[in-house]
Amino acid sequence: MGTRRRIRALLAFGGVAVVALGVGGCGGADVEGAPVEKKAFAFSGGALTIDADNSELEIVPADIKDVRVARQVDGWVFMGDGPDAVWRLEDGRLTLRVECDAVASDCDSVHRIQVPRGVAVTVEDDNGKVTADGFDTALKIRSDNGAVVVRNASGALDLTSGNGEVVVEGGTTSGQVVARSDNGAVRLSLSAVPRRVEAVSDNGEIDIALPKASYDVDGRSDNGEVRIDVPTRKGSAHVVTARSDNGEVVVRNAN
């Protein structure tokens, strides 16, 4: 199961310290080789919230009426329980959990989610990368610890990562994009002239590639070079804000 590793756990029993060494046979979680489980959830409505923890998420729209999830879960625990996987959909909220409660553990999972077309999606992921591809409805995605990647979108985007890069690419034509990272780069590439783009990073570079047009640009960095390579015009209907506390800021024409 992947690279072997040694685990050292210091346990206290009645004041006596016990050191457990060399649980090397456990190895690492191998989620790619794990069995695939599938489930369909009855769904109605125009909005879905995905509430996940400790999982990578891959989300796409599809010509379906229900919400379909395929998951792979793998891992091990030392002196504890898990991995225990939970999935449920109630009141428009899809909850996905993988829990390992142990002295030492290595648990991993990936959930691939199909959403009915026309449904607006909100994602709240505490720990894991989130990828969304092909949405023409609004997307609001937050990952506390993981990258956020959006491709081929046309609806409004509101994207945040607490610790990871935020990337918009592919044939994305969204008219409004808000992207923030507390600790990571923000890289946006748009295929249609947007009305509004806001990119903010506390600690990372910002790179925005835009179709040819005149933009009202506010580009700033407290600690990094600022380069504005698109035509600019104050009062333009196409507004771009790009700010980094610590990193280069580039606003350029798309290739």
Side-chain angles (χ1 to χ4, degrees):
M1 293 174 62
T3 304
R4 290 178 177 269
R5 65 188 67 182
R6 297 179 67 84
I7 294 132
R8 304 179 179 217
L10 180 62
L11 312 176
F13 294 99
V16 179
V18 180
V19 180
L21 297 175
V23 190
C26 295
D30 181 21
V31 69
E32 292 184 1
V36 178
E37 300 176 89
K38 297 182 179 180
K39 189 170 183 178
F41 298 87
F43 176 79
S44 62
L48 174 71
T49 297
I50 300 171
D51 178 3
D53 190 9
N54 292 328
S55 181
E56 180 177 351
L57 305 179
E58 299 176 6
I59 312 164
V60 297
D63 295 321
I64 54 178
K65 293 184 179 180
D66 48 13
V67 172
R68 300 179 186 180
V69 183
R71 74 182 179 191
Q72 291 175 278
V73 178
D74 191 57
W76 56 264
V77 299
F78 173 63
M79 296 187 67
D81 298 311
D84 296 321
V86 175
W87 50 6
R88 63 179 179 270
L89 196 158
E90 298 174 346
D91 299 324
R93 191 175 192 88
L94 176 65
T95 301
L96 306 171
R97 291 286 185 275
V98 176
E99 298 177 354
C100 285
D101 185 10
V103 171
S105 64
D106 186 359
C107 299
D108 199 6
S109 65
V110 58
H111 290 79
R112 297 176 178 89
I113 305 161
Q114 293 179 299
V115 178
R117 293 192 190 279
V119 172
V121 174
T122 297
V123 179
E124 301 169 0
D125 191 5
D126 285 345
N127 187 37
K129 179 181 179 180
V130 181
T131 302
D133 192 344
F135 282 88
D136 60 6
T137 51
L139 284 174
K140 184 175 182 179
I141 300 174
R142 175 188 56 78
S143 175
D144 283 350
N145 186 37
V148 174
V149 180
V150 173
R151 303 185 180 101
N152 303 305
S154 57
L157 303 178
D158 187 345
L159 314 174
T160 303
S161 175
N163 186 38
E165 67 178 357
V166 176
V167 178
V168 174
E169 59 188 8
T172 295
T173 58
S174 300
Q176 178 170 303
V177 179
V178 178
R180 308 179 186 89
S181 177
D182 291 341
N183 187 37
V186 176
R187 298 186 177 92
L188 312 178
S189 180
L190 302 180
S191 298
V193 177
R195 296 184 304 277
R196 176 184 171 224
V197 174
E198 180 180 341
V200 178
S201 176
D202 289 344
N203 186 37
E205 69 176 2
I206 295 175
D207 185 288
I208 304 174
L210 301 169
K212 290 184 178 180
S214 293
Y215 296 90
D216 187 341
V217 181
D218 179 7
R220 306 180 193 178
S221 175
D222 291 342
N223 185 33
E225 180 185 359
V226 176
R227 195 173 82 241
I228 310 300
D229 292 337
V230 296
T232 60
R233 180 173 61 84
K234 286 295 183 183
S236 171
H238 312 297
V239 178
V240 178
T241 302
R243 297 175 182 167
S244 175
D245 288 346
N246 186 37
E248 182 182 36
V249 171
V250 177
V251 181
R252 58 186 174 87
N253 287 318
N255 295 331

